[in-house]
Amino acid sequence: MTPKCVFLFSWRLFCVLVCCGVGHSRRNVLLIIADDAGFETDVYNNTVVQTPHLRALSQRSLIFKNAFTTVSSCSPSRSTILTGLPQHQNGMYGLHQGVHHFNSFDGVRSLPLLLKEANVRTGIIGKKHVGPGPVYPFDFAYTEETNSVLQVGRNITKIKLLVRKFFLYVAFHDPHRCGHSQPQYGAFCEKFGNGESGMGRIPDWEPKYYSPDQVKVPDFIPDTPAARADIAAQYTTVSRLDQGIGLVLQELRDAGYENDTLVIYSSDNGIPFPNGRTNLYGSGVMEPMLISSPEHRQRRGQISQAYVSLLDITPTILDWLSLPYPSYSISGGDPVQLTGRSLLPALISEPAWVTVYASQSLHEVTMYYPMRSVHQGPYRLLHNMHYRMPFPIDQDFYVSPTFQDLLNRTRTGQPTAWFKTLNEYYYRERWELFDTCSDPTERRNLAGDPAYAQVLESLRAQLFKWQWRTEDPWVCEPDGVLEAKLEPKCRPLYNGL
């Protein structure tokens, strides 16, 4: 048998290149997942940020306008990408590293595990951020577990050289914030490697700088001088991300794989700004997604309106490599079912896909705030299970210039230039229903409007059905206890909720 191999590249760019040879045919996959990146590229009509490599990739890709993460948190999102299962099903409820220590269940059959069993050699460079090791096995690794994450995650020259050495999963760390851990490099590590005194030099990086008056402030972020300066720094690291993508794609061409490689680009979750990452609002879950196939050229450069999810990545790669998903159970119950789908048919004709789901339980271990959502057509329904608690704030976002400015303005009674108050951000209704067409910033909650009662009940029923299908332990929260051996399985608590 012809040997098989994998490039799994990620950046926080999570790039995967899977190369699979059978006879004289060969198929490869390059999966690129940016870290906390959004739509800061001219591919999605932001003409300020210079991203020529993403633009070039988009010209030979199908551009998805309605792509979503299924959880707005790094480790849980990466686990869903690598398993095709939502976080509540695979067990990666929150961040994997340090004191947080979340892991997927031992019995989960991940994408790298399935590829390994199919004689596909895998490796990882950059930020791994998932565990345990036996569930996500790689034949070699250059990650934060044994190396400086700045070097293997942001030094695009080092990443380029490692790409030459191996077939890889490269996990770039841009444009994630770093001001909480390496403040000397700036809020987004925008100074790291720029050649200035004490910053080091990344030879292949040509830094691009932006002024605060240039930036396009998303409508869910306060338009203040502090936020504009913060976004300008983010843009610089987006440019480094783009140049890194260009280097990886050039290595792909130089290695002779361009004409047989499926390339996928997306991000893990929303950008780290108010209403963004850790939220299941559109601003926290909407993602860029480009898919370029050497065998499907019909729709290159076109825009798809289909609703797609990061849960679709594992079934897409398995489909591309003609590998079946195994029949197994995680906890001795019913066989696991993938609720995502292969995206390859969308590369041929526009599908009628209009529904996606999301599930979040924690980010950091202290940030318990379980939420579930369904987005169908124009409507997004969110279930904030512990809605009487204040919405939690993560560490690196808390110390960010944008949030500190928002806190100080609120504390001193100054105008915040935001579309909601901090109190409204912290305290939410149990059910939130939005018409994202007429209300794209999701300001008007329709859950209590009698005119939308039928929409509310229909979406609630669909959400609960998905939770049962994916073995969600939170399916009875917050007013019931799950007792799977009894009927009904949700036993009421009579707690007034």
Side-chain angles (χ1 to χ4, degrees):
M1 176 182 289
T2 304
K4 300 177 182 179
C5 52
V6 145
F7 292 97
L8 285 161
F9 294 106
S10 159
W11 198 346
R12 267 213 187 182
L13 236 190
F14 155 31
C15 295
V16 177
L17 176 56
V18 179
C19 107
C20 172
V22 180
H24 295 291
S25 65
R26 182 175 61 191
R27 279 190 169 191
N28 311 305
V29 181
L30 173 62
L31 172 60
I32 305 173
I33 302 294
D35 193 353
D36 290 7
F39 300 95
E40 303 81 23
T41 167
D42 60 353
V43 176
Y44 287 93
N45 298 319
N46 186 328
T47 56
V48 178
V49 189
Q50 299 177 41
T51 56
H53 301 289
L54 279 171
R55 166 54 63 187
L57 177 61
S58 73
Q59 291 170 349
R60 59 179 190 273
S61 301
L62 179 61
I63 304 167
F64 288 90
K65 186 177 180 181
N66 293 303
F68 302 88
T69 182
T70 190
V71 52
S72 194
S73 176
C74 176
S75 293
S77 181
R78 293 177 189 287
S79 73
T80 67
I81 292 168
L82 287 177
T83 65
L85 306 176
Q87 56 85 21
H88 63 250
Q89 188 173 20
N90 74 53
M92 186 73 71
Y93 302 141
L95 298 185
H96 170 64
Q97 87 278 13
V99 68
H100 312 305
H101 197 58
F102 290 100
N103 285 279
S104 291
F105 297 128
D106 292 341
V108 170
R109 308 294 298 278
S110 72
L111 180 62
L113 179 62
L114 297 177
L115 295 178
K116 185 180 183 69
E117 292 175 346
N119 196 30
V120 178
R121 183 171 171 80
T122 64
I124 179 170
I125 292 175
K127 191 164 186 176
K128 186 179 180 183
H129 217 21
V130 292
V135 172
Y136 301 96
F138 294 91
D139 295 304
F140 56 86
Y142 290 84
T143 74
E144 77 280 1
E145 296 177 351
T146 55
N147 298 264
S148 163
V149 72
L150 294 181
Q151 292 298 324
V152 297
R154 298 188 195 264
N155 187 332
I156 61 178
T157 297
K158 186 175 183 68
I159 291 166
K160 176 188 73 173
L161 296 176
L162 289 172
V163 166
R164 293 178 181 176
K165 190 175 182 180
F166 297 111
F167 295 113
L168 308 167
Y169 163 16
V170 183
F172 294 84
H173 197 22
D174 278 322
H176 191 283
R177 288 188 182 276
C178 80
H180 67 299
S181 57
Q182 290 101 10
Q184 68 273 23
Y185 296 125
F188 282 90
C189 272
E190 68 275 9
K191 300 176 183 178
F192 175 68
N194 68 3
E196 296 178 4
S197 177
M199 300 300 158
R201 180 77 179 106
I202 300 174
D204 285 293
W205 181 36
E206 180 184 348
K208 304 291 183 183
Y209 300 106
Y210 304 86
S211 64
D213 62 340
Q214 282 182 288
V215 306
K216 296 181 66 174
V217 181
D219 53 19
F220 57 90
I221 298 176
D223 191 348
T224 61
R228 284 182 167 272
D230 212 9
I231 295 170
Q234 178 208 27
Y235 282 7
T236 295
T237 57
V238 170
S239 293
R240 183 167 57 200
L241 165 67
D242 181 75
Q243 291 176 40
I245 291 174
L247 291 175
V248 169
L249 293 177
Q250 185 60 52
E251 292 300 323
L252 182 72
R253 289 188 288 269
D254 292 346
Y257 290 113
E258 182 179 30
N259 293 325
D260 44 41
T261 298
L262 180 74
V263 178
I264 305 173
Y265 167 75
S266 189
S267 178
D268 57 349
N269 46 244
I271 62 176
F273 285 88
N275 238 55
R277 188 187 64 196
T278 75
N279 286 276
L280 294 190
Y281 299 122
S283 44
V285 297
M286 293 189 70
E287 306 297 341
M289 182 176 285
L290 310 175
I291 300 184
S292 174
S293 167
E295 298 180 13
H296 306 81
R297 300 170 181 261
Q298 301 96 316
R299 304 196 66 195
R300 286 189 169 185
Q302 294 184 20
I303 296 175
S304 173
Q305 302 290 341
Y307 284 26
V308 300
S309 164
L310 297 189
L311 288 175
D312 299 328
I313 288 178
T314 283
T316 299
I317 293 175
L318 293 177
D319 185 19
W320 176 255
L321 298 176
S322 300
L323 296 175
Y325 190 73
S327 176
Y328 75 101
S329 65
I330 295 175
S331 56
D334 295 333
V336 172
Q337 300 180 52
L338 294 178
T339 55
R341 57 168 69 87
S342 171
L343 301 181
L344 297 185
L347 305 184
I348 300 172
S349 61
E350 181 73 356
W353 299 337
V354 295
T355 306
V356 291
Y357 298 90
S359 164
Q360 182 135 346
S361 300
L362 301 99
H363 182 65
E364 296 164 6
V365 71
T366 56
M367 295 177 62
Y368 183 59
Y369 199 86
M371 301 174 286
R372 302 294 183 264
S373 75
V374 55
H375 187 185
Q376 185 172 77
Y379 297 110
R380 174 177 286 108
L381 176 67
L382 293 91
H383 187 191
N384 302 309
M385 300 177 189
H386 288 204
Y387 62 100
R388 290 188 175 180
M389 297 168 52
F391 186 79
I393 305 298
D394 60 284
Q395 292 175 334
D396 66 336
F397 172 53
Y398 180 83
V399 301
S400 69
T402 298
F403 190 70
Q404 282 297 305
D405 182 62
L406 181 58
L407 280 177
N408 290 332
R409 287 170 176 268
T410 299
R411 180 176 55 85
T412 58
Q414 300 177 61
T416 63
W418 202 26
F419 69 95
K420 60 175 69 173
T421 67
L422 265 182
N423 190 70
E424 290 170 337
Y425 187 63
Y426 291 147
Y427 294 97
R428 308 175 181 192
E429 297 296 326
R430 175 174 178 177
W431 295 99
E432 294 183 282
L433 174 64
F434 302 104
D435 183 337
T436 61
C437 286
S438 63
D439 180 23
T441 55
E442 300 175 341
R443 302 187 185 196
R444 182 184 172 213
N445 183 8
L446 304 174
D449 188 333
Y452 293 88
Q454 187 173 353
V455 173
L456 175 65
E457 289 308 310
S458 175
L459 292 179
R460 284 177 57 171
Q462 292 181 64
L463 181 58
F464 284 135
K465 183 178 180 180
W466 180 74
Q467 288 183 261
W468 283 112
R469 183 181 178 190
T470 55
E471 302 178 280
D472 187 353
W474 281 265
V475 67
C476 300
E477 291 270 343
D479 42 17
V481 172
L482 175 61
E483 291 286 354
K485 296 181 180 180
L486 300 176
E487 290 294 342
K489 294 181 179 180
C490 287
R491 311 298 290 182
L493 288 170
Y494 303 106
N495 58 11
L497 299 178

